[in-house]
Amino acid sequence: MFCRLLSLLVAGAVLAAMPVWAESPPLSEATLSCLGCHEDLHPGMVEGWRASRHARITPGQAMQTTGLASKISSTDIPSGLQDTSVGCAECHTLRPDAHADTFDHFGYQVHVVVSPEDCATCHATERKQYGQNIMAHAYGNLVDNAVYADLRTSINGVLQPGEKQLSAKAPNNATKAESCLYCHGTKLRFDGLASKDTAYGPVMLPEIAGWPNQGSGRINLDGSKGSCAVCHTRHRFSMAEARKPYTCKECHVGPDVPAYKVYTASKHGTIYSAENNDWDFSAVPWEAGTDFRAPTCAACHISLVTKPGGTVVAERTHALSPRLPWRIFGLPYAHPQPKDPQTSKIKNAAGLPLPTNLDGSPASDFLISAEEQDKRKGNLQAVCLSCHTQSWVDGHWQRFENTIEVTNEATATGTGLLAQAWENDLAEGLPQNSSIFDEYIENVWSDIWLIHCNHIRFASAIGGGGDYGVFADGRYVLNRRLREMHDWVESRLPQQ
Amino acid sequence: MFCRLLSLLVAGAVLAAMPVWAESPPLSEATLSCLGCHEDLHPGMVEGWRASRHARITPGQAMQTTGLASKISSTDIPSGLQDTSVGCAECHTLRPDAHADTFDHFGYQVHVVVSPEDCATCHATERKQYGQNIMAHAYGNLVDNAVYADLRTSINGVLQPGEKQLSAKAPNNATKAESCLYCHGTKLRFDGLASKDTAYGPVMLPEIAGWPNQGSGRINLDGSKGSCAVCHTRHRFSMAEARKPYTCKECHVGPDVPAYKVYTASKHGTIYSAENNDWDFSAVPWEAGTDFRAPTCAACHISLVTKPGGTVVAERTHALSPRLPWRIFGLPYAHPQPKDPQTSKIKNAAGLPLPTNLDGSPASDFLISAEEQDKRKGNLQAVCLSCHTQSWVDGHWQRFENTIEVTNEATATGTGLLAQAWENDLAEGLPQNSSIFDEYIENVWSDIWLIHCNHIRFASAIGGGGDYGVFADGRYVLNRRLREMHDWVESRLPQQ
Amino acid sequence: MFCRLLSLLVAGAVLAAMPVWAESPPLSEATLSCLGCHEDLHPGMVEGWRASRHARITPGQAMQTTGLASKISSTDIPSGLQDTSVGCAECHTLRPDAHADTFDHFGYQVHVVVSPEDCATCHATERKQYGQNIMAHAYGNLVDNAVYADLRTSINGVLQPGEKQLSAKAPNNATKAESCLYCHGTKLRFDGLASKDTAYGPVMLPEIAGWPNQGSGRINLDGSKGSCAVCHTRHRFSMAEARKPYTCKECHVGPDVPAYKVYTASKHGTIYSAENNDWDFSAVPWEAGTDFRAPTCAACHISLVTKPGGTVVAERTHALSPRLPWRIFGLPYAHPQPKDPQTSKIKNAAGLPLPTNLDGSPASDFLISAEEQDKRKGNLQAVCLSCHTQSWVDGHWQRFENTIEVTNEATATGTGLLAQAWENDLAEGLPQNSSIFDEYIENVWSDIWLIHCNHIRFASAIGGGGDYGVFADGRYVLNRRLREMHDWVESRLPQQ
């Protein structure tokens, strides 16, 4: 409290001497109209925006910054947008014909759901890169994959009493939207206008199925994929926020992909937690050593990172793939990243839409080559080398690739036990043309790779080891679960 | 370190120009006596208080602030208390006749345990509201409920070898005090005075069974219920602290009520974590948008929240219930909130002290009506609407109520499996007049609603979905546990 | 962002008036040579150091501070090191003959791995104390203990299909290094020089097996044990960082030793999280009440803590043992701390290297006496008494020792169930001269003490109770797992 008071007192003194850009730029007439009501209706929304860069600088001013410090990548921003701040109307009335939810709102053609294509008006490069990001395709990658469809029903289905097994009542849309699709994104659908009671009386507003949602692969009402707000939350759209690890945590904290947990228990995370209040998360470019002393998720995989003098360490990429050689979660076996971000097209030798066969061998035609992996490894390790020697980095990497190998071996052992259960009719799966996720023993099997092998790999990749690879859902639990599978099969096999 | 240094240097310059109230007000003679020894004995205690508002302003000064900014609600503060700061003696010698632990301490009639009735001297409204808070009744609600008694023995009992089942040795008071009663509150009992060795030699001091404890429903030595220090920790008693989510975490982090975990992985929690250092947690009233950009637990359920202009969004309530339509944890089925905060009075159709029947149908006589639920929903959603449109809020709520429904269905399926086990004498429960919590299969059943359905509901309510509703103890695990129950029953049923 | 800007603006004004010591001291010629290349190669490393006290003050200047504020304990620092800052060369060229990895690097005799013996040049007392710390012996305590060897193979072995049980393929060194040895420390081995490609062309550099590693008991290339960087991370070596709880989290977050989790859900942790931005983590000595309002791990177990006037509350100890009466994790039963930090020398009555017998009775010859426990309790409680009364502290401690007793009882019950399984040949263990960790039921048994009893004890010790002692892997789960063991044994015993 005392500190805040000081800040305020100091702020008073300093504000008088603020540089010119701190004076708010002009607002468009349309945005002024929006604010007329919405400032009173939803002040949180408006104040978030008011604290944003969007409110404090015009695209025209932003375009004057070029080179590494540039925060805007389009060179063809319409002149009508260049001289006012980026306010409500600038985004919510863009490209009205493209959006199915465009409606007449007090004389303005407004759409509710702003899409990456709208953002591309000023941020064309980022939008294009994001289109190559596997996360932008998260909806289709999940929904159009038959194996995942089986898994999703197994998870989201409402179990009912059944004969040999419990039966799963298909999940409804509300359940789907807050389960897998919360992160993967929903498919939005415009269902017409309807009158809503508001503080200003009844107003005709769009009904949108699948709304709200900010999933990374949301199917928008202009047909585009993704939501920039998944990382840059509305209406501040902050780069600083996206560079902090909490952003990624939202979808990468669960036991299937424990990146955040592992990070905060790593040396990098320790340093981040202890010191991040003194770092600069808004600097562009982001200088290793001076702006931050330990990397966050963004530093390793996304951000434009330079050395203090300005030498580029890593180019900014909203595709992420240039700094991702291996895919280490979500599937039975770790494997090289897919070539195409649309992964439902993949077929393994058995014809299943999986990037490996059930014995772990890769469906290589669909995966990047060793050469491409090496290139990406180089891109990623360039960040490591900002603070570590090559020997250090090599030692880390050798352990990580060993861990990919041994966790794949563990999955193969578990898969063998499940096959034994199927072959002896202790459970029904592939040989019986039945679900591979709807019985207890099958769920133990999926725990093995989806939870435990993933923990071990993330602990290795992000932490260089530690408890999430051992007791915290790691090797200790992996081996207990494998023994449980063995025990289960053994005790049910006919006595010989 | 550099930042701190700056702060200190700046502080020096600024302190000279501090407003009048920053001069510490006079201390009472009694408090000066206390400080004479205790400042040296327990400096942490004294320095915490010294940084508090209690030390820096008198009740008389505080009463001059009226309206929304008021931090004190009593209008009849005794004149003898109005002109000194609220020091040691002001609280610890109040109402000496009411406290069983009042003792003569160097000439002062001191009691150790300050109760909400003491705090009510200045904070009458908050104390009255807290009396209506279900948390104030947490001791009796647990201890006077026969079903919970069974559960508590199942949890806290020290298991011993037994014949058909392990037997539970009843837990002792020390175990109870640090287990369930840590949060629910202990029942304090004055056991007379005894001589204690202290740094100042032997002193006669009260012996208090059940001490220390700061549980929300503590039974105090003046017969009152609760502890204000459960959220406003001693001796700073900070509003800012209570508004941060860590406060609630202490009792709402565990898998039975994973509110904090879910919050920090939500968009609100992401924004909080990334930006809270720049927010004002001490402002009264608390302005949405300017003082904070994302709500904390307190913003949604407790605090006086206004729009920037001062329009009230939500009234302050220490009862919480005005902003709680549903009860989503701690019981087999989610249900409307109880009418009376003393829940051990509830009886379902079978005569059990539960708010629903075993099939999930509500014990409606004891629960709030749909109309009251709607009113509370309105109070709560007013906070949402500060930053979100009505369409957004409606979409969120529709999913939340769907989730209540489908998780209740899952509990019904699990309860059916348990009933099947009981009916076939695979386990002993209600039909056998035996404990429903003392066998393995019964514990798997309680996991289903107490752990997994709760995770799914909290993820829905607080996060709008996400991993705590799926892989992180959510639907994925719920269905695996249900299949485990099915497997367990199936493998033990006599072969037909 | 706005706050940062203010800081920067203010900083500019203030820097002009900085005290003399803020001028960087001279660098040695050797360190200047290092910086010539490494500043460009690894700026993160260099900037971390530049922000450190090592860069900003010379040992000679530091020696002028005496008494409680001293940060340096050696009195015989070589004069050649006293007048330059502690730069790259000062540490990495110390004692060249002692280090197996010393190599000629552009004319300098450099070693890669700096050891506690190097740090002892200036910090002799801390190094000596750390040598008495059980953590310094963590490598040998694990590797030289036959019971732990069995456990390690059980955890890290790569399970393969097997006959009666799955068989474990021995883990390779890469796995070991990122599993248990990540925290315990690896044994480093110099494998000669090899040419490495670097940004400056090929350079001959040491190959070091077991590198990188910062484990607490690392066996260094000069034969010494430990790594100061385990808590004071490279190259800032910050005291403030080590005083924050994140440091300890790295190795004390997992379910086997859930100290950090329990702390953050305790009242102390709540206060820390809410207020730590306003505390002073760099002050020496560390004043209770003024520098911090709630203790961190370091405040209770390590740091020099004083009252505001300077009276010593607790002496600094890098041994930790003076403030640790009980050992509450990592072994089947809690017990008094071992006398000798090298615990692999312990033998129980059965000849096993364990500090208790399988019935829980202590191997007393190897453990500290009740008198020593009392002395350590006094050292530890002195910190508690800075903020709490003796009655409060006594109540806390009585519950903690009760919890040690009842969790030991629970372990005895579980051990009895396992013995029953062994005796009836349902599993193979001690009677069969077989591993006690390689079957499912044995893993459930180890969960009981390694996970659940530990949670309960940590929740008691650090939090005074709460959810980690109940639902969050505590009593609730402990009793469920014991019932699972009973169920497993019962269902496999021959029908009578």
Side-chain angles (χ1 to χ4, degrees):
Chain A
M1 205 155 54
F2 186 59
C3 266
R4 287 207 66 86
L5 180 77
L6 278 179
S7 296
L8 295 172
L9 290 169
V10 175
V14 173
L15 276 170
M18 287 287 271
V20 164
W21 67 260
E23 289 175 18
S24 290
L27 303 175
S28 68
E29 204 176 326
T31 289
L32 278 167
S33 291
C34 303
L35 291 174
C37 296
H38 286 280
E39 177 147 31
D40 177 55
L41 280 170
H42 313 294
M45 217 183 264
V46 171
E47 293 301 331
W49 163 77
R50 196 164 269 149
S52 76
R53 195 182 297 268
H54 280 170
R56 291 181 297 139
I57 190 167
T58 66
Q61 290 168 327
M63 288 170 81
Q64 290 166 32
T65 302
T66 54
L68 295 177
S70 173
K71 288 165 209 78
I72 206 165
S73 57
S74 302
T75 51
D76 56 353
I77 301 175
S79 58
L81 292 173
Q82 290 198 14
D83 299 327
T84 56
S85 73
V86 183
C88 322
E90 280 61 36
C91 301
H92 282 279
T93 65
L94 264 182
R95 307 165 53 247
D97 297 340
H99 297 278
D101 59 333
T102 295
F103 69 113
D104 182 275
H105 191 52
F106 302 105
Y108 294 94
Q109 297 301 302
V110 169
H111 59 281
V112 171
V113 184
V114 175
S115 83
E117 286 300 329
D118 296 329
C119 303
T121 306
C122 296
H123 304 283
T125 303
E126 289 69 30
R127 190 274 170 279
K128 193 176 158 202
Q129 290 173 340
Y130 190 69
Q132 290 302 311
N133 187 329
I134 199 170
M135 297 200 300
H137 303 274
Y139 176 83
N141 287 354
L142 188 69
V143 167
D144 299 335
N145 181 313
V147 173
Y148 283 151
D150 183 12
L151 179 58
R152 284 192 304 136
T153 304
S154 158
I155 294 172
N156 296 325
V158 186
L159 294 187
Q160 313 284 324
E163 273 309 297
K164 283 178 71 176
Q165 295 299 332
L166 298 171
S167 70
K169 192 170 74 174
N172 61 27
N173 285 336
T175 295
K176 288 177 187 172
E178 70 167 42
S179 179
C180 306
L181 302 184
Y182 177 84
C183 289
H184 282 254
T186 55
K187 182 170 186 171
L188 301 180
R189 192 187 63 221
F190 175 64
D191 280 349
L193 298 179
S195 178
K196 276 262 180 199
D197 285 330
T198 75
Y200 286 61
V203 179
M204 292 299 283
L205 294 168
E207 300 268 284
I208 302 172
W211 187 250
N213 180 269
Q214 315 294 317
S216 74
R218 189 181 67 200
I219 308 295
N220 299 303
L221 293 169
D222 62 356
S224 67
K225 296 175 181 177
S227 162
C228 300
V230 69
C231 299
H232 304 279
T233 64
R234 305 153 53 251
H235 283 93
R236 189 158 183 181
F237 305 109
S238 157
M239 188 189 288
E241 181 189 3
R243 282 172 168 178
K244 295 187 178 179
Y246 320 111
T247 295
C248 308
K249 176 183 184 182
E250 195 179 349
C251 292
H252 296 267
V253 68
D256 56 315
V257 43
Y260 177 81
K261 289 193 297 191
V262 163
Y263 174 75
T264 60
S266 72
K267 276 266 180 295
H268 289 162
T270 296
I271 295 171
Y272 171 84
S273 297
E275 301 188 355
N276 82 81
N277 283 342
D278 296 330
W279 297 354
D280 188 347
F281 288 90
S282 296
V284 177
W286 212 15
E287 289 185 357
T290 44
D291 290 330
F292 59 93
R293 186 164 85 87
T296 63
C297 317
C300 290
H301 297 295
I302 302 173
S303 298
L304 167 60
V305 176
T306 66
K307 295 184 181 180
T311 310
V312 173
V313 170
E315 302 279 359
R316 182 183 296 125
T317 169
H318 280 68
L320 273 76
S321 46
R323 301 194 220 161
L324 285 173
W326 288 100
R327 188 143 160 250
I328 61 172
F329 73 99
L331 289 149
Y333 298 93
H335 55 276
Q337 285 282 333
K339 286 179 185 167
D340 188 318
Q342 301 189 61
T343 58
S344 59
K345 299 175 180 172
I346 295 173
K347 294 270 174 281
N348 70 7
L352 292 171
L354 293 174
T356 63
N357 299 305
L358 278 187
D359 66 358
S361 57
S364 300
D365 287 354
F366 298 92
L367 308 180
I368 61 172
S369 64
E371 291 68 38
E372 175 66 16
Q373 279 194 295
D374 272 349
K375 189 176 147 197
R376 295 181 178 193
K377 185 175 82 169
N379 295 339
L380 181 56
Q381 291 191 348
V383 184
C384 312
L385 291 166
S386 303
C387 302
H388 297 285
T389 63
Q390 189 69 51
S391 303
W392 180 292
V393 175
D394 288 347
H396 173 86
W397 201 262
Q398 186 262 333
R399 288 178 192 158
F400 170 53
E401 295 200 334
N402 169 71
T403 289
I404 288 176
E405 201 171 315
V406 295
T407 52
N408 278 355
E409 266 190 81
T411 296
T413 297
T415 305
L417 287 165
L418 183 60
Q420 198 184 356
W422 287 338
E423 285 155 18
N424 288 278
D425 282 320
L426 308 176
E428 299 192 340
L430 285 183
Q432 291 85 1
N433 257 324
S434 173
S435 163
I436 64 174
F437 295 116
D438 72 343
E439 301 183 44
Y440 176 64
I441 192 66
E442 293 165 339
N443 292 177
V444 179
W445 170 71
S446 63
D447 279 358
I448 279 165
W449 46 271
L450 191 58
I451 310 296
H452 307 299
C453 288
N454 284 356
H455 268 80
I456 298 165
R457 289 189 287 251
F458 273 93
S460 177
I462 293 179
D467 230 342
Y468 287 103
V470 191
F471 293 109
D473 269 329
R475 290 170 177 87
Y476 174 79
V477 190
L478 169 68
N479 281 0
R480 190 190 74 211
R481 303 307 296 277
L482 282 169
R483 293 183 182 114
E484 181 185 357
M485 284 190 80
H486 182 274
D487 210 60
W488 190 95
V489 171
E490 193 72 18
S491 69
R492 279 162 175 78
L493 281 177
Q495 303 293 322
Q496 299 171 320
Chain B
M1 206 155 52
F2 185 62
C3 264
R4 288 206 65 86
L5 180 76
L6 276 180
S7 297
L8 294 173
L9 291 169
V10 174
V14 174
L15 276 171
M18 287 288 272
V20 164
W21 67 260
E23 289 174 18
S24 291
L27 303 175
S28 68
E29 205 176 326
T31 287
L32 279 167
S33 291
C34 302
L35 292 174
C37 296
H38 286 280
E39 177 146 31
D40 177 53
L41 280 170
H42 314 293
M45 217 184 264
V46 171
E47 294 300 332
W49 163 76
R50 196 163 269 148
S52 76
R53 194 182 297 268
H54 280 171
R56 291 181 296 140
I57 192 166
T58 67
Q61 290 169 327
M63 289 169 81
Q64 289 165 30
T65 302
T66 54
L68 295 177
S70 173
K71 288 165 208 78
I72 204 165
S73 56
S74 302
T75 51
D76 57 352
I77 301 174
S79 59
L81 292 173
Q82 289 198 15
D83 298 327
T84 56
S85 73
V86 184
C88 323
E90 280 61 36
C91 300
H92 283 279
T93 66
L94 263 182
R95 308 166 52 247
D97 297 340
H99 296 279
D101 59 333
T102 295
F103 69 112
D104 183 275
H105 191 51
F106 302 104
Y108 294 96
Q109 297 301 301
V110 169
H111 59 280
V112 171
V113 183
V114 175
S115 83
E117 286 299 329
D118 296 330
C119 304
T121 305
C122 296
H123 304 284
T125 303
E126 290 69 30
R127 190 272 170 280
K128 193 175 158 205
Q129 290 173 341
Y130 190 68
Q132 290 301 311
N133 188 329
I134 200 170
M135 297 200 300
H137 303 274
Y139 177 83
N141 287 353
L142 187 70
V143 167
D144 300 335
N145 181 313
V147 173
Y148 283 151
D150 183 13
L151 179 58
R152 283 192 305 136
T153 304
S154 159
I155 294 171
N156 296 324
V158 187
L159 294 187
Q160 313 285 324
E163 273 308 298
K164 284 178 70 177
Q165 295 300 331
L166 297 172
S167 70
K169 193 171 74 173
N172 61 26
N173 286 335
T175 294
K176 288 177 187 172
E178 71 168 43
S179 179
C180 307
L181 301 185
Y182 177 84
C183 288
H184 281 254
T186 54
K187 182 171 186 170
L188 301 180
R189 192 187 64 222
F190 176 64
D191 280 349
L193 298 179
S195 178
K196 276 264 181 202
D197 284 330
T198 75
Y200 286 60
V203 180
M204 292 300 283
L205 294 169
E207 301 268 284
I208 301 172
W211 187 251
N213 179 269
Q214 315 292 319
S216 73
R218 189 181 67 199
I219 309 295
N220 299 303
L221 293 169
D222 61 356
S224 67
K225 297 175 182 176
S227 163
C228 301
V230 69
C231 298
H232 304 280
T233 63
R234 304 151 54 252
H235 282 93
R236 188 159 183 180
F237 305 110
S238 157
M239 187 189 288
E241 181 189 2
R243 283 172 169 179
K244 295 188 179 179
Y246 319 111
T247 295
C248 307
K249 177 183 184 183
E250 195 179 349
C251 292
H252 296 265
V253 68
D256 57 315
V257 43
Y260 177 82
K261 290 193 297 191
V262 164
Y263 174 75
T264 59
S266 73
K267 275 266 179 296
H268 289 162
T270 297
I271 296 171
Y272 171 85
S273 297
E275 301 187 358
N276 83 81
N277 283 342
D278 296 331
W279 298 354
D280 188 347
F281 288 91
S282 296
V284 176
W286 212 16
E287 289 185 356
T290 43
D291 290 330
F292 59 92
R293 185 163 86 88
T296 64
C297 317
C300 290
H301 297 295
I302 303 173
S303 299
L304 168 60
V305 175
T306 66
K307 295 185 180 180
T311 310
V312 172
V313 169
E315 302 279 357
R316 183 184 295 126
T317 169
H318 280 67
L320 274 75
S321 46
R323 299 194 222 159
L324 284 174
W326 288 99
R327 190 143 159 249
I328 60 173
F329 74 98
L331 289 148
Y333 298 94
H335 55 275
Q337 286 280 335
K339 286 179 185 166
D340 188 318
Q342 300 189 60
T343 57
S344 60
K345 299 174 179 172
I346 294 173
K347 295 269 173 280
N348 71 7
L352 292 173
L354 292 175
T356 63
N357 299 304
L358 278 188
D359 65 359
S361 57
S364 300
D365 287 355
F366 298 91
L367 308 180
I368 61 171
S369 64
E371 291 70 36
E372 175 65 17
Q373 279 194 296
D374 271 349
K375 189 175 147 198
R376 295 181 179 195
K377 185 176 81 169
N379 295 340
L380 180 55
Q381 291 191 348
V383 184
C384 311
L385 290 166
S386 303
C387 302
H388 296 286
T389 64
Q390 188 69 51
S391 304
W392 181 292
V393 175
D394 288 347
H396 174 85
W397 201 262
Q398 186 262 332
R399 287 178 193 158
F400 171 52
E401 295 200 334
N402 169 71
T403 289
I404 288 177
E405 201 172 315
V406 296
T407 52
N408 279 354
E409 266 191 81
T411 297
T413 298
T415 306
L417 288 165
L418 184 60
Q420 196 184 357
W422 287 339
E423 285 154 17
N424 288 279
D425 282 320
L426 308 176
E428 300 190 340
L430 286 183
Q432 291 84 1
N433 257 325
S434 174
S435 163
I436 64 173
F437 295 116
D438 72 343
E439 300 183 46
Y440 176 65
I441 192 65
E442 292 165 339
N443 292 177
V444 178
W445 170 71
S446 62
D447 279 358
I448 278 165
W449 46 271
L450 190 58
I451 309 298
H452 307 298
C453 288
N454 283 356
H455 268 81
I456 297 164
R457 289 189 288 253
F458 273 92
S460 177
I462 293 178
D467 230 342
Y468 286 103
V470 191
F471 293 109
D473 270 328
R475 290 170 177 86
Y476 174 79
V477 190
L478 168 68
N479 281 0
R480 190 190 76 211
R481 303 308 295 279
L482 282 169
R483 294 185 182 112
E484 182 186 356
M485 284 190 79
H486 183 274
D487 209 59
W488 190 96
V489 171
E490 193 72 18
S491 70
R492 278 162 175 79
L493 281 178
Q495 303 294 323
Q496 297 172 323
Chain C
M1 208 156 49
F2 186 63
C3 265
R4 288 204 65 86
L5 180 76
L6 277 178
S7 298
L8 294 173
L9 290 169
V10 175
V14 174
L15 276 170
M18 287 288 271
V20 164
W21 66 261
E23 288 176 19
S24 291
L27 303 175
S28 68
E29 204 176 325
T31 288
L32 278 168
S33 291
C34 302
L35 291 175
C37 296
H38 286 280
E39 176 146 31
D40 177 54
L41 280 170
H42 313 294
M45 218 184 263
V46 171
E47 294 300 331
W49 163 77
R50 196 165 268 149
S52 75
R53 196 183 296 269
H54 280 170
R56 292 180 296 140
I57 191 166
T58 67
Q61 290 169 327
M63 289 169 82
Q64 290 166 31
T65 302
T66 54
L68 296 177
S70 172
K71 288 165 208 77
I72 203 165
S73 58
S74 301
T75 50
D76 56 352
I77 300 175
S79 59
L81 292 173
Q82 290 199 14
D83 299 327
T84 57
S85 72
V86 183
C88 323
E90 281 62 36
C91 300
H92 282 280
T93 66
L94 264 181
R95 307 165 53 246
D97 295 340
H99 296 278
D101 58 333
T102 295
F103 69 113
D104 183 276
H105 191 52
F106 302 104
Y108 295 96
Q109 297 301 301
V110 169
H111 59 280
V112 171
V113 184
V114 174
S115 83
E117 287 300 329
D118 296 329
C119 303
T121 305
C122 296
H123 304 283
T125 304
E126 289 69 30
R127 191 273 170 279
K128 193 175 158 203
Q129 290 173 341
Y130 190 69
Q132 290 301 311
N133 187 329
I134 200 170
M135 297 200 301
H137 303 274
Y139 177 83
N141 287 353
L142 187 70
V143 168
D144 299 336
N145 181 314
V147 173
Y148 283 150
D150 183 12
L151 179 58
R152 284 192 305 136
T153 303
S154 158
I155 294 172
N156 296 325
V158 187
L159 295 189
Q160 313 285 324
E163 273 308 297
K164 284 179 69 176
Q165 295 299 332
L166 297 171
S167 71
K169 192 171 74 173
N172 61 26
N173 286 335
T175 294
K176 288 178 186 173
E178 70 167 42
S179 179
C180 306
L181 302 184
Y182 177 84
C183 289
H184 281 253
T186 54
K187 182 171 187 171
L188 301 180
R189 192 187 63 222
F190 176 64
D191 280 348
L193 298 179
S195 178
K196 277 262 181 202
D197 283 330
T198 75
Y200 286 61
V203 180
M204 292 299 282
L205 294 167
E207 301 267 283
I208 301 172
W211 188 251
N213 180 269
Q214 315 292 319
S216 73
R218 189 181 68 200
I219 308 295
N220 299 301
L221 293 169
D222 62 356
S224 67
K225 297 175 182 177
S227 162
C228 301
V230 70
C231 299
H232 305 279
T233 64
R234 305 151 55 252
H235 283 94
R236 188 158 183 181
F237 305 109
S238 158
M239 187 187 289
E241 180 189 3
R243 284 172 167 178
K244 295 187 180 179
Y246 320 112
T247 295
C248 307
K249 177 184 185 182
E250 195 179 349
C251 291
H252 296 266
V253 68
D256 56 316
V257 43
Y260 177 82
K261 290 191 297 189
V262 164
Y263 174 75
T264 59
S266 72
K267 277 264 182 296
H268 289 162
T270 296
I271 296 170
Y272 171 85
S273 297
E275 301 187 357
N276 81 81
N277 283 342
D278 296 330
W279 298 355
D280 187 347
F281 288 90
S282 296
V284 177
W286 212 15
E287 290 185 356
T290 44
D291 290 330
F292 59 92
R293 185 162 88 86
T296 63
C297 317
C300 291
H301 297 295
I302 303 172
S303 298
L304 167 61
V305 176
T306 67
K307 295 184 180 180
T311 311
V312 173
V313 170
E315 304 278 358
R316 183 184 295 126
T317 169
H318 280 67
L320 274 77
S321 46
R323 300 196 221 160
L324 285 174
W326 288 99
R327 189 142 158 251
I328 61 172
F329 74 99
L331 289 149
Y333 299 94
H335 54 275
Q337 285 281 334
K339 287 178 185 167
D340 187 318
Q342 300 188 61
T343 57
S344 60
K345 298 174 179 172
I346 295 174
K347 293 270 174 282
N348 71 7
L352 292 172
L354 292 174
T356 63
N357 299 305
L358 277 188
D359 65 359
S361 57
S364 300
D365 287 355
F366 297 91
L367 308 180
I368 61 171
S369 65
E371 291 70 36
E372 175 65 16
Q373 278 194 297
D374 271 349
K375 188 176 148 199
R376 294 181 179 194
K377 185 176 81 169
N379 296 339
L380 180 56
Q381 291 190 349
V383 184
C384 312
L385 290 166
S386 304
C387 302
H388 296 285
T389 64
Q390 187 70 49
S391 303
W392 180 293
V393 175
D394 288 348
H396 174 84
W397 201 262
Q398 186 262 331
R399 287 179 194 159
F400 171 53
E401 295 199 334
N402 169 70
T403 289
I404 287 177
E405 202 171 314
V406 296
T407 52
N408 278 355
E409 266 190 81
T411 297
T413 298
T415 306
L417 288 165
L418 183 60
Q420 197 184 357
W422 287 339
E423 285 154 17
N424 287 279
D425 282 320
L426 308 176
E428 299 191 340
L430 286 183
Q432 291 84 1
N433 258 325
S434 173
S435 163
I436 64 173
F437 295 116
D438 72 343
E439 301 183 44
Y440 176 64
I441 192 67
E442 293 165 338
N443 292 177
V444 179
W445 170 71
S446 63
D447 278 358
I448 279 165
W449 46 271
L450 190 59
I451 309 297
H452 306 299
C453 288
N454 284 356
H455 268 81
I456 298 165
R457 289 190 288 252
F458 273 92
S460 178
I462 293 178
D467 230 343
Y468 286 103
V470 191
F471 293 109
D473 269 329
R475 289 169 177 87
Y476 174 79
V477 190
L478 168 68
N479 282 359
R480 191 190 74 210
R481 305 305 297 277
L482 281 170
R483 293 183 182 113
E484 182 186 356
M485 284 190 80
H486 182 274
D487 210 60
W488 190 96
V489 171
E490 192 72 19
S491 70
R492 278 162 176 78
L493 280 178
Q495 304 293 322
Q496 296 171 323

